[in-house]
mmCIF file of all heavy atoms in Angstrom:
data_model
loop_
_atom_site.group_PDB
_atom_site.id
_atom_site.type_symbol
_atom_site.label_atom_id
_atom_site.label_comp_id
_atom_site.label_asym_id
_atom_site.label_seq_id
_atom_site.Cartn_x
_atom_site.Cartn_y
_atom_site.Cartn_z
ATOM 1 N N ILE A 1 -10.329 21.892 -3.484
ATOM 2 C CA ILE A 1 -11.177 22.412 -2.338
ATOM 3 C C ILE A 1 -11.389 23.924 -2.487
ATOM 4 O O ILE A 1 -12.510 24.478 -2.399
ATOM 5 C CB ILE A 1 -10.751 22.013 -0.992
ATOM 6 C CG1 ILE A 1 -10.913 20.434 -0.859
ATOM 7 C CG2 ILE A 1 -11.507 22.699 0.061
ATOM 8 C CD1 ILE A 1 -10.274 19.870 0.357
ATOM 9 N N GLU A 2 -10.218 24.584 -2.665
ATOM 10 C CA GLU A 2 -10.170 26.107 -2.766
ATOM 11 C C GLU A 2 -10.731 26.561 -4.180
ATOM 12 O O GLU A 2 -10.831 27.678 -4.429
ATOM 13 C CB GLU A 2 -8.769 26.573 -2.519
ATOM 14 C CG GLU A 2 -8.423 26.405 -1.118
ATOM 15 C CD GLU A 2 -6.835 26.749 -0.805
ATOM 16 O OE1 GLU A 2 -6.195 27.044 -1.764
ATOM 17 O OE2 GLU A 2 -6.592 26.578 0.296
ATOM 18 N N LYS A 3 -10.878 25.633 -5.020
ATOM 19 C CA LYS A 3 -11.393 25.874 -6.473
ATOM 20 C C LYS A 3 -10.473 27.026 -7.142
ATOM 21 O O LYS A 3 -10.932 27.948 -7.613
ATOM 22 C CB LYS A 3 -12.784 26.285 -6.392
ATOM 23 C CG LYS A 3 -13.761 25.285 -5.809
ATOM 24 C CD LYS A 3 -15.191 25.698 -6.025
ATOM 25 C CE LYS A 3 -16.142 24.790 -5.461
ATOM 26 N NZ LYS A 3 -16.233 23.484 -6.002
ATOM 27 N N GLN A 4 -9.239 26.769 -7.020
ATOM 28 C CA GLN A 4 -8.283 27.637 -7.623
ATOM 29 C C GLN A 4 -8.485 27.724 -9.066
ATOM 30 O O GLN A 4 -8.676 26.753 -9.732
ATOM 31 C CB GLN A 4 -6.813 27.294 -7.362
ATOM 32 C CG GLN A 4 -6.443 27.388 -5.906
ATOM 33 C CD GLN A 4 -5.026 27.076 -5.583
ATOM 34 O OE1 GLN A 4 -4.310 26.649 -6.402
ATOM 35 N NE2 GLN A 4 -4.480 27.304 -4.363
ATOM 36 N N SER A 5 -8.372 28.919 -9.585
ATOM 37 C CA SER A 5 -8.743 29.106 -10.987
ATOM 38 C C SER A 5 -7.843 28.396 -11.950
ATOM 39 O O SER A 5 -8.163 28.008 -13.042
ATOM 40 C CB SER A 5 -8.760 30.577 -11.397
ATOM 41 O OG SER A 5 -7.452 31.155 -11.103
ATOM 42 N N ALA A 6 -6.553 28.185 -11.554
ATOM 43 C CA ALA A 6 -5.631 27.482 -12.496
ATOM 44 C C ALA A 6 -6.125 26.026 -12.682
ATOM 45 O O ALA A 6 -5.947 25.539 -13.740
ATOM 46 C CB ALA A 6 -4.260 27.390 -11.756
ATOM 47 N N LEU A 7 -6.702 25.463 -11.655
ATOM 48 C CA LEU A 7 -7.259 24.109 -11.858
ATOM 49 C C LEU A 7 -8.539 24.112 -12.715
ATOM 50 O O LEU A 7 -8.694 23.277 -13.498
ATOM 51 C CB LEU A 7 -7.512 23.447 -10.483
ATOM 52 C CG LEU A 7 -6.417 22.835 -9.812
ATOM 53 C CD1 LEU A 7 -6.760 22.208 -8.537
ATOM 54 C CD2 LEU A 7 -5.678 21.700 -10.653
ATOM 55 N N LEU A 8 -9.411 25.114 -12.417
ATOM 56 C CA LEU A 8 -10.579 25.176 -13.093
ATOM 57 C C LEU A 8 -10.381 25.486 -14.651
ATOM 58 O O LEU A 8 -11.082 25.080 -15.495
ATOM 59 C CB LEU A 8 -11.489 26.276 -12.528
ATOM 60 C CG LEU A 8 -11.965 26.028 -11.087
ATOM 61 C CD1 LEU A 8 -12.748 27.210 -10.496
ATOM 62 C CD2 LEU A 8 -12.760 24.675 -10.956
ATOM 63 N N ASP A 9 -9.265 26.144 -14.887
ATOM 64 C CA ASP A 9 -9.008 26.556 -16.326
ATOM 65 C C ASP A 9 -8.137 25.455 -16.939
ATOM 66 O O ASP A 9 -7.798 25.557 -18.131
ATOM 67 C CB ASP A 9 -8.165 27.869 -16.292
ATOM 68 C CG ASP A 9 -9.026 29.020 -15.909
ATOM 69 O OD1 ASP A 9 -10.330 28.891 -15.930
ATOM 70 O OD2 ASP A 9 -8.515 30.173 -15.624
ATOM 71 N N SER A 10 -7.708 24.528 -16.243
ATOM 72 C CA SER A 10 -6.766 23.480 -16.870
ATOM 73 C C SER A 10 -7.463 22.714 -18.060
ATOM 74 O O SER A 10 -8.826 22.555 -17.903
ATOM 75 C CB SER A 10 -6.311 22.460 -15.786
ATOM 76 O OG SER A 10 -7.386 21.828 -15.086
ATOM 77 N N ARG A 11 -6.831 22.321 -18.969
ATOM 78 C CA ARG A 11 -7.333 21.637 -20.134
ATOM 79 C C ARG A 11 -7.750 20.305 -19.761
ATOM 80 O O ARG A 11 -7.123 19.507 -18.990
ATOM 81 C CB ARG A 11 -6.292 21.628 -21.212
ATOM 82 C CG ARG A 11 -5.887 23.057 -21.711
ATOM 83 C CD ARG A 11 -4.938 22.924 -22.890
ATOM 84 N NE ARG A 11 -4.366 21.637 -23.240
ATOM 85 C CZ ARG A 11 -3.169 21.428 -23.592
ATOM 86 N NH1 ARG A 11 -2.239 22.425 -23.658
ATOM 87 N NH2 ARG A 11 -2.754 20.151 -23.835
ATOM 88 N N GLU A 12 -8.815 19.889 -20.317
ATOM 89 C CA GLU A 12 -9.446 18.583 -19.963
ATOM 90 C C GLU A 12 -8.432 17.393 -20.405
ATOM 91 O O GLU A 12 -8.345 16.487 -19.508
ATOM 92 C CB GLU A 12 -10.780 18.385 -20.682
ATOM 93 C CG GLU A 12 -11.455 17.033 -20.307
ATOM 94 C CD GLU A 12 -12.826 16.860 -20.926
ATOM 95 O OE1 GLU A 12 -13.520 17.844 -21.039
ATOM 96 O OE2 GLU A 12 -13.201 15.795 -21.298
ATOM 97 N N GLU A 13 -7.759 17.539 -21.446
ATOM 98 C CA GLU A 13 -6.842 16.458 -21.864
ATOM 99 C C GLU A 13 -5.660 16.376 -20.825
ATOM 100 O O GLU A 13 -5.119 15.313 -20.651
ATOM 101 C CB GLU A 13 -6.260 16.809 -23.215
ATOM 102 C CG GLU A 13 -5.591 17.894 -23.542
ATOM 103 C CD GLU A 13 -6.422 18.934 -24.299
ATOM 104 O OE1 GLU A 13 -7.611 18.937 -24.319
ATOM 105 O OE2 GLU A 13 -5.759 19.930 -24.793
ATOM 106 N N ASP A 14 -5.339 17.514 -20.216
ATOM 107 C CA ASP A 14 -4.242 17.348 -19.178
ATOM 108 C C ASP A 14 -4.723 16.638 -17.980
ATOM 109 O O ASP A 14 -3.995 15.761 -17.381
ATOM 110 C CB ASP A 14 -3.801 18.797 -18.657
ATOM 111 C CG ASP A 14 -2.957 19.463 -19.696
ATOM 112 O OD1 ASP A 14 -2.380 18.814 -20.515
ATOM 113 O OD2 ASP A 14 -2.862 20.684 -19.646
ATOM 114 N N VAL A 15 -5.996 16.834 -17.579
ATOM 115 C CA VAL A 15 -6.597 16.099 -16.484
ATOM 116 C C VAL A 15 -6.786 14.646 -16.853
ATOM 117 O O VAL A 15 -6.549 13.800 -16.005
ATOM 118 C CB VAL A 15 -7.977 16.698 -16.052
ATOM 119 C CG1 VAL A 15 -8.555 16.008 -14.771
ATOM 120 C CG2 VAL A 15 -7.794 18.147 -15.639
ATOM 121 N N GLN A 16 -7.197 14.402 -18.033
ATOM 122 C CA GLN A 16 -7.353 13.048 -18.543
ATOM 123 C C GLN A 16 -6.084 12.362 -18.623
ATOM 124 O O GLN A 16 -5.939 11.139 -18.211
ATOM 125 C CB GLN A 16 -8.004 13.029 -19.974
ATOM 126 C CG GLN A 16 -9.382 13.390 -20.014
ATOM 127 C CD GLN A 16 -10.345 12.269 -19.666
ATOM 128 O OE1 GLN A 16 -9.917 11.121 -19.174
ATOM 129 N NE2 GLN A 16 -11.534 12.508 -19.796
ATOM 130 N N SER A 17 -4.980 13.050 -19.004
ATOM 131 C CA SER A 17 -3.759 12.366 -18.940
ATOM 132 C C SER A 17 -3.220 12.052 -17.570
ATOM 133 O O SER A 17 -2.671 11.061 -17.275
ATOM 134 C CB SER A 17 -2.718 13.443 -19.544
ATOM 135 O OG SER A 17 -1.368 12.896 -19.522
ATOM 136 N N LEU A 18 -3.451 12.849 -16.562
ATOM 137 C CA LEU A 18 -3.148 12.594 -15.152
ATOM 138 C C LEU A 18 -3.883 11.426 -14.681
ATOM 139 O O LEU A 18 -3.399 10.549 -14.052
ATOM 140 C CB LEU A 18 -3.512 13.939 -14.402
ATOM 141 C CG LEU A 18 -3.292 13.732 -12.832
ATOM 142 C CD1 LEU A 18 -1.801 13.551 -12.484
ATOM 143 C CD2 LEU A 18 -3.827 15.072 -12.181
ATOM 144 N N LEU A 19 -5.215 11.419 -15.034
ATOM 145 C CA LEU A 19 -6.025 10.324 -14.567
ATOM 146 C C LEU A 19 -5.544 8.937 -15.171
ATOM 147 O O LEU A 19 -5.384 7.918 -14.506
ATOM 148 C CB LEU A 19 -7.460 10.552 -14.962
ATOM 149 C CG LEU A 19 -8.473 9.542 -14.592
ATOM 150 C CD1 LEU A 19 -8.556 9.248 -13.106
ATOM 151 C CD2 LEU A 19 -9.874 10.027 -15.034
ATOM 152 N N LYS A 20 -5.143 9.018 -16.484
ATOM 153 C CA LYS A 20 -4.683 7.759 -17.191
ATOM 154 C C LYS A 20 -3.350 7.336 -16.557
ATOM 155 O O LYS A 20 -3.127 6.115 -16.363
ATOM 156 C CB LYS A 20 -4.544 8.125 -18.692
ATOM 157 C CG LYS A 20 -4.163 7.060 -19.530
ATOM 158 C CD LYS A 20 -4.022 7.371 -21.018
ATOM 159 C CE LYS A 20 -3.447 6.386 -21.819
ATOM 160 N NZ LYS A 20 -3.354 6.656 -23.195
ATOM 161 N N LEU A 21 -2.440 8.230 -16.309
ATOM 162 C CA LEU A 21 -1.230 7.971 -15.625
ATOM 163 C C LEU A 21 -1.384 7.294 -14.345
ATOM 164 O O LEU A 21 -0.744 6.254 -14.001
ATOM 165 C CB LEU A 21 -0.398 9.232 -15.535
ATOM 166 C CG LEU A 21 0.768 9.426 -16.474
ATOM 167 C CD1 LEU A 21 1.355 10.841 -16.195
ATOM 168 C CD2 LEU A 21 1.747 8.318 -16.406
ATOM 169 N N ALA A 22 -2.269 7.825 -13.486
ATOM 170 C CA ALA A 22 -2.519 7.269 -12.162
ATOM 171 C C ALA A 22 -3.122 5.804 -12.175
ATOM 172 O O ALA A 22 -2.697 4.953 -11.522
ATOM 173 C CB ALA A 22 -3.405 8.120 -11.335
ATOM 174 N N LYS A 23 -3.955 5.661 -13.263
ATOM 175 C CA LYS A 23 -4.613 4.320 -13.330
ATOM 176 C C LYS A 23 -3.563 3.331 -13.762
ATOM 177 O O LYS A 23 -3.489 2.175 -13.356
ATOM 178 C CB LYS A 23 -5.830 4.410 -14.301
ATOM 179 C CG LYS A 23 -6.987 5.008 -13.665
ATOM 180 C CD LYS A 23 -8.200 4.993 -14.750
ATOM 181 C CE LYS A 23 -9.405 5.584 -14.056
ATOM 182 N NZ LYS A 23 -10.605 5.557 -14.972
ATOM 183 N N ALA A 24 -2.755 3.806 -14.813
ATOM 184 C CA ALA A 24 -1.780 2.879 -15.333
ATOM 185 C C ALA A 24 -0.703 2.528 -14.242
ATOM 186 O O ALA A 24 -0.284 1.369 -14.199
ATOM 187 C CB ALA A 24 -1.087 3.527 -16.468
ATOM 188 N N ALA A 25 -0.315 3.489 -13.474
ATOM 189 C CA ALA A 25 0.673 3.247 -12.382
ATOM 190 C C ALA A 25 0.114 2.255 -11.418
ATOM 191 O O ALA A 25 0.820 1.315 -10.965
ATOM 192 C CB ALA A 25 1.053 4.532 -11.699
ATOM 193 N N ARG A 26 -1.038 2.335 -10.962
ATOM 194 C CA ARG A 26 -1.632 1.461 -10.010
ATOM 195 C C ARG A 26 -1.822 0.165 -10.668
ATOM 196 O O ARG A 26 -1.468 -0.886 -9.953
ATOM 197 C CB ARG A 26 -3.081 2.044 -9.533
ATOM 198 C CG ARG A 26 -3.592 1.228 -8.305
ATOM 199 C CD ARG A 26 -4.605 1.943 -7.628
ATOM 200 N NE ARG A 26 -5.768 2.406 -8.317
ATOM 201 C CZ ARG A 26 -6.895 1.689 -8.572
ATOM 202 N NH1 ARG A 26 -7.101 0.478 -7.968
ATOM 203 N NH2 ARG A 26 -7.860 2.250 -9.194
ATOM 204 N N LYS A 27 -2.305 0.065 -11.866
ATOM 205 C CA LYS A 27 -2.433 -1.351 -12.468
ATOM 206 C C LYS A 27 -1.245 -1.987 -12.622
ATOM 207 O O LYS A 27 -1.001 -3.243 -12.323
ATOM 208 C CB LYS A 27 -3.104 -1.146 -13.865
ATOM 209 C CG LYS A 27 -3.379 -2.461 -14.510
ATOM 210 C CD LYS A 27 -4.121 -2.303 -15.884
ATOM 211 C CE LYS A 27 -4.472 -3.546 -16.400
ATOM 212 N NZ LYS A 27 -4.129 -3.853 -17.741
ATOM 213 N N SER A 28 -0.082 -1.212 -13.061
ATOM 214 C CA SER A 28 1.208 -1.877 -13.164
ATOM 215 C C SER A 28 1.710 -2.336 -11.859
ATOM 216 O O SER A 28 2.287 -3.440 -11.745
ATOM 217 C CB SER A 28 2.118 -0.801 -13.738
ATOM 218 O OG SER A 28 3.475 -1.204 -13.775
ATOM 219 N N LEU A 29 1.596 -1.646 -10.812
ATOM 220 C CA LEU A 29 2.052 -1.978 -9.494
ATOM 221 C C LEU A 29 1.303 -3.209 -9.020
ATOM 222 O O LEU A 29 1.874 -4.106 -8.293
ATOM 223 C CB LEU A 29 1.813 -0.880 -8.464
ATOM 224 C CG LEU A 29 2.775 0.294 -8.600
ATOM 225 C CD1 LEU A 29 2.467 1.375 -7.726
ATOM 226 C CD2 LEU A 29 4.224 -0.136 -8.404
ATOM 227 N N GLU A 30 0.068 -3.404 -9.204
ATOM 228 C CA GLU A 30 -0.708 -4.501 -8.813
ATOM 229 C C GLU A 30 -0.344 -5.788 -9.570
ATOM 230 O O GLU A 30 -0.448 -6.896 -9.062
ATOM 231 C CB GLU A 30 -2.236 -4.242 -9.029
ATOM 232 C CG GLU A 30 -2.809 -3.141 -8.056
ATOM 233 C CD GLU A 30 -4.217 -2.784 -8.387
ATOM 234 O OE1 GLU A 30 -4.720 -3.068 -9.512
ATOM 235 O OE2 GLU A 30 -4.837 -2.234 -7.607
#
């Protein structure tokens, strides 16, 4: 929300990795 530069500058693959981990965790729990 605050659009902190650290997030805006984060590498796309790090965000993709975070997204993939969250999806895998939810799927595994289900």
Side-chain angles (χ1 to χ4, degrees):
I1 292 168
E2 294 171 355
K3 299 186 186 292
Q4 290 184 355
S5 61
L7 278 180
L8 296 176
D9 293 340
S10 58
R11 295 184 351 218
E12 185 174 327
E13 59 255 18
D14 287 339
V15 182
Q16 287 283 8
S17 177
L18 178 63
L19 182 58
K20 183 179 175 182
L21 257 175
K23 285 181 178 182
R26 188 161 55 94
K27 183 177 185 222
S28 175
L29 289 172
E30 290 171 343

